[in-house]
RNA sequence: GUGAUUGUAGCUCAGUUGGUUAGAGCGCCUGAUUGUGGUUCAGGAGGUCGCCGGUUCGAACCCGGUCUUUCACCCCA
């Protein structure tokens, strides 16, 4: 019985036409990364579960895809837990591997594990899929590609600047209008500190992150719900109301945070980065956004987010500085900073706006019609001639009706069809048909080449 | 995890208050045209109406469950 084939929720197949476009995106991004001295690495799709667990917060743990142990995994598990149907606790007994949730944590693991083979500062890029057991929705998939660039082992803020420069360059090459939003965790920590809620930074940031979306009143309501005192919420108001240029915001902040050394350090970092970025004269606006929080709680300094200006789709790139991610795996004192381009969202944006240049194609340029065994053998040699000259060439593999072979060329968007039968073989010519104009003429291979090239 | 929403031919979609044999456009296949595609014309194939169960004399249509699609929330690229 033939069953209807399907793929898991939130995953997708990509057709050749789509892959050509996706590869254009990947190649563009990769090219820019390499131009800045980042080197590629790859890590396994699956990691040991204890590498992943606890790195993304409670919510992140829930979104991890876990892999069932091989063999008779139930025989070794605790009967009482099984009987109690306690999924959370039974998980540790039946699963010890999980699919990677992002590329940053596996990278941190990689750095620690290979610390003797790599030279700090270590600049790497990594383009691989990640998996999250989320409910799919607009711009959100369960399997998607991230394109990460990170540098570890360097505290210099020049790295932050360089990353912004990379963002600018990638999106200029892809022709997507974006804005870079910049914030700093130290500033957020300072704010939490001076309003007297130092240990509630995550609650505060998660709430104010929604300011754009739900408005001030609802943010205040949520802050209250999350257990902040009315006094603290009151003190927060002037900060939420901050406006003006980046410079003006920084000025106000340095006053507001004057009692918080951490906060002031954040302001100083932001100032330094923004000053350097200014001198670069980028196309992309860089905006200081205090409401930018970002979920991942391993960030300790700069936080970035990039939003597309012409398409409503959440952020298409994000990242930040993490001072001690490798510490969890036993290597202290190595700071990292990096960003991640969300390839699938970029793909969605590019598709929606049809931003691909016409040159994005991998179509065959020349098809040899197959008239029979003898003719095909002759065409094999001719095809090699054209391929050696850089023409994407194929020979139809079967002796099929002309109509079928022509329509194959038509559907594949092949511009030229070569017909080589007995006459052509004898005269060492080929009959070349231009599928767009419909014209055809009999030529020597060299003449044909100049027409195709 | 919470709340909605979708599912009929390969694709996009019609399908009346529940009533005989479920339709259209596009695509596909064959021929008109044995060395000529895209246009035209003639013909043809293709459907357990997502799946399981229930109500009914009778279900694509009503009810329940389940899977899937899309969307919002939580969270996030």
């Amino acid at each position: 019985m033939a069953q209807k084939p399907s793929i898991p929720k939130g995953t997708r197949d990509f057709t050749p036409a789509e892959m050509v476009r996706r590869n254009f995106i990947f190649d563009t991004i990769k090219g820019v990364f390499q131009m800045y001295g980042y080197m590629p690495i790859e890590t396994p799709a699956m990691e040991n579960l204890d590498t992943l667990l606890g790195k993304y917060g409670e919510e992140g743990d829930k979104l991890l895809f876990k892999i069932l142990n091989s063999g008779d995994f139930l025989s070794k598990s605790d009967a009482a837990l099984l009987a109690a149907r306690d999924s959370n606790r039974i998980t540790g007994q039946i699963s010890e591997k999980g699919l990677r949730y992002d590329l940053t944590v596996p990278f941190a693991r990689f750095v620690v594990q290979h610390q003797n083979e790599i030279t700090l500062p270590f600049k790497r890029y990594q383009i691989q899929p990640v998996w999250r057991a989320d409910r799919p929705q607009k711009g959100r998939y369960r399997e998607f590609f991230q394109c990460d660039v990170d540098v570890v082992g360097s505290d210099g803020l020049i790295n932050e600047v360089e990353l912004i420069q990379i963002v600018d360059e990638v999106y200029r090459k892809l022709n997507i209008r974006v804005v870079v939003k910049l914030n700093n965790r130290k500033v957020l920590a300072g704010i939490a500190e001076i309003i007297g809620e130092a240990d509630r930074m995550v609650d505060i940031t998660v709430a104010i992150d929604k300011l754009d979306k739900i408005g001030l009143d609802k943010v205040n309501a949520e802050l209250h719900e999350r257990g902040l005192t009315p006094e603290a919420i009151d003190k927060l108001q002037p900060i939420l109301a901050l406006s003006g240029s980046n410079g003006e915001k920084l000025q106000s902040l340095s006053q507001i945070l004057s009692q918080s050394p951490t906060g002031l350090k954040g302001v100083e970092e932001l100032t330094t980065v923004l000053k350097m970025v200014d001198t670069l004269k980028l196309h992309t606006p860089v905006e200081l956004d205090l409401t930018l929080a970002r979920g991942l709680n391993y960030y300790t300094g700069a936080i970035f987010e990039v939003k597309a200006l012409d398409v409503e789709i959440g952020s298409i790139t994000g990242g930040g500085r993490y001072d001690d991610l490798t510490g969890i795996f036993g290597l202290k004192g190595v700071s990292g900073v990096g960003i991640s381009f969300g390839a699938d969202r970029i793909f969605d944006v590019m598709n929606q706006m049809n931003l691909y240049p016409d040159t994005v194609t991998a179509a065959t340029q020349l098809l040899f019609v197959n008239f029979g065994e003898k003719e095909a053998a002759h065409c094999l040699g001719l095809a090699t001639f054209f391929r050696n000259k850089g023409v994407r060439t194929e020979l139809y593999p079967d002796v099929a009706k002309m109509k079928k072979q022509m329509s194959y060329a038509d559907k594949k968007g092949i511009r030229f069809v070569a017909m080589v039968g007995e006459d052509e073989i004898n005269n060492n010519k080929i009959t070349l048909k231009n599928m767009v104009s419909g014209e055809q003429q009999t030529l020597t291979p060299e003449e044909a080449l100049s027409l195709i090239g």
Side-chain angles (χ1 to χ4, degrees):
Chain A
M1 208 48 184
Q3 56 168 3
K4 221 176 208 173
S6 65
I7 54 175
K9 187 198 295 207
T11 64
R12 295 167 302 164
D13 286 327
F14 297 107
T15 61
E18 289 171 316
M19 277 315 296
V20 166
R21 297 172 155 214
R22 287 173 71 80
N23 283 338
F24 169 71
I25 295 173
F26 290 131
D27 291 345
T28 303
I29 291 173
K30 209 181 291 179
V32 175
F33 288 174
Q34 284 171 350
M35 207 52 77
Y36 285 80
Y38 292 84
M39 298 297 286
I41 70 159
E42 287 200 3
T43 63
M46 58 182 126
E47 290 280 347
N48 291 328
L49 215 40
D50 51 17
T51 301
L52 266 18
L53 283 168
K55 311 301 188 296
Y56 309 106
E58 205 179 313
E59 203 66 35
D61 284 357
K62 282 191 216 155
L63 296 179
L64 282 172
F65 276 107
K66 297 165 191 85
I67 297 169
L68 230 35
N69 289 343
S70 313
D72 189 3
F73 52 84
L74 275 186
S75 66
K76 289 172 243 157
S77 64
D78 188 300
L81 286 179
L82 271 177
R85 296 180 186 276
D86 187 335
S87 304
N88 281 337
R89 293 177 58 199
I90 208 79
T91 299
Q93 301 191 358
I94 63 175
S95 168
E96 53 192 23
K97 297 179 287 300
L99 294 179
R100 72 165 97 78
Y101 177 93
D102 72 356
L103 299 178
T104 309
V105 168
F107 174 51
R109 191 222 81 219
F110 177 99
V111 168
V112 176
Q113 219 174 311
H114 297 270
Q115 52 186 290
N116 294 326
E117 302 152 55
I118 62 180
T119 311
L120 298 182
F122 182 54
K123 301 171 85 171
R124 85 86 171 77
Y125 74 84
Q126 185 172 359
I127 298 177
Q128 290 190 276
V130 304
W131 294 269
R132 296 183 189 176
D134 221 348
R135 280 237 188 145
Q137 55 178 285
K138 187 174 187 173
R140 181 181 294 193
Y141 306 97
R142 291 184 134 181
E143 176 183 62
F144 59 99
F145 274 78
Q146 292 194 327
C147 314
D148 274 36
V149 244
D150 289 79
V151 48
V152 295
S154 165
D155 297 325
L157 292 172
I158 204 99
N159 296 300
E160 273 84 340
V161 174
E162 196 172 278
L163 290 171
I164 293 171
Q165 213 178 343
I166 286 173
V167 167
D168 177 65
E169 202 165 324
V170 164
Y171 286 112
R172 210 171 63 230
K173 288 204 155 105
L174 293 176
N175 213 7
I176 301 175
R177 298 203 312 132
V178 297
V179 56
V180 174
K181 305 218 170 188
L182 182 65
N183 197 3
N184 192 298
R185 265 289 162 91
K186 294 188 179 83
V187 168
L188 292 170
I191 290 169
E193 204 177 296
I194 62 121
I195 66 169
E197 300 274 3
D199 50 349
R200 310 300 300 275
M201 185 185 75
V202 173
D203 280 315
I204 297 167
T205 54
V206 167
I208 66 175
D209 186 47
K210 297 176 187 166
L211 187 60
D212 255 6
K213 210 165 168 184
I214 62 178
L216 184 60
D217 291 349
K218 286 188 176 163
V219 166
N220 286 334
E222 181 161 341
L223 286 167
H224 182 72
E225 242 170 74
R226 284 175 183 268
L228 259 74
T229 63
E231 298 79 54
I233 296 175
D234 245 25
K235 279 179 152 170
L236 195 59
Q237 298 311 302
I239 298 163
L240 294 180
L242 270 188
S243 64
S245 68
N246 293 340
E248 288 162 352
K249 286 184 199 165
L250 285 170
Q251 188 115 45
S252 313
L253 267 182
S254 57
Q255 281 162 19
I256 293 168
L257 297 175
S258 59
Q259 297 309 306
S260 161
T262 307
L264 284 179
K265 182 83 173 64
V267 171
E268 187 196 317
E269 288 180 12
L270 282 168
T271 308
T272 306
V273 169
L274 285 168
K275 201 177 279 174
M276 278 194 272
V277 165
D278 255 3
T279 65
L280 288 173
K281 303 269 180 281
L282 303 178
H283 289 57
T284 308
V286 179
E287 192 178 287
L288 171 59
D289 184 352
L290 292 173
T291 69
L292 169 59
R294 295 201 52 77
L296 295 173
N297 41 28
Y298 48 65
Y299 291 127
T300 52
I303 322 173
F304 314 98
E305 182 164 285
V306 179
K307 297 207 68 162
L309 289 172
D310 301 309
V311 174
E312 194 61 50
I313 193 165
S315 75
I316 53 178
T317 293
R321 180 172 283 277
Y322 39 90
D323 276 335
D324 201 28
L325 196 53
T326 57
I328 308 163
F329 300 113
L331 180 61
K332 302 276 182 207
V334 177
S335 179
V337 60
I339 51 171
S340 177
F341 289 77
D344 293 81
R345 285 188 177 175
I346 294 173
F347 183 55
D348 287 347
V349 170
M350 300 270 299
N351 286 343
Q352 236 173 91
M353 303 197 54
N354 205 2
L355 293 174
Y356 302 94
D358 295 339
T359 50
V360 174
T361 172
T364 299
Q365 295 164 283
L366 175 63
L367 173 78
F368 278 89
V369 171
N370 188 329
F371 284 121
E373 221 175 280
K374 206 177 69 190
E375 291 87 343
H378 179 78
C379 289
L380 234 30
L382 284 171
T384 302
F385 167 78
F386 283 100
R387 289 188 190 118
N388 287 343
K389 300 290 185 189
V391 178
R392 293 187 293 274
T393 306
E394 56 184 305
L395 164 62
Y396 198 85
D398 303 303
V399 183
K401 288 182 180 162
M402 254 315 242
K403 185 186 172 80
K404 185 162 172 109
Q405 303 194 38
M406 293 299 284
S407 109
Y408 172 81
D410 191 46
K411 277 172 199 149
K412 265 190 98 169
I414 300 176
R415 186 168 298 240
F416 291 96
V417 170
M419 283 160 286
V420 184
E422 210 179 324
D423 288 352
E424 285 92 347
I425 293 177
N426 290 337
N427 300 320
N428 196 25
K429 297 259 172 126
I430 66 181
T431 296
L432 188 71
K433 170 157 181 161
N434 181 325
M435 295 294 278
V436 179
S437 66
E439 290 163 10
Q440 72 179 51
Q441 52 196 121
T442 302
L443 307 159
T444 65
E446 285 77 15
E447 288 166 340
L449 181 66
S450 67
L451 238 124
I452 296 166

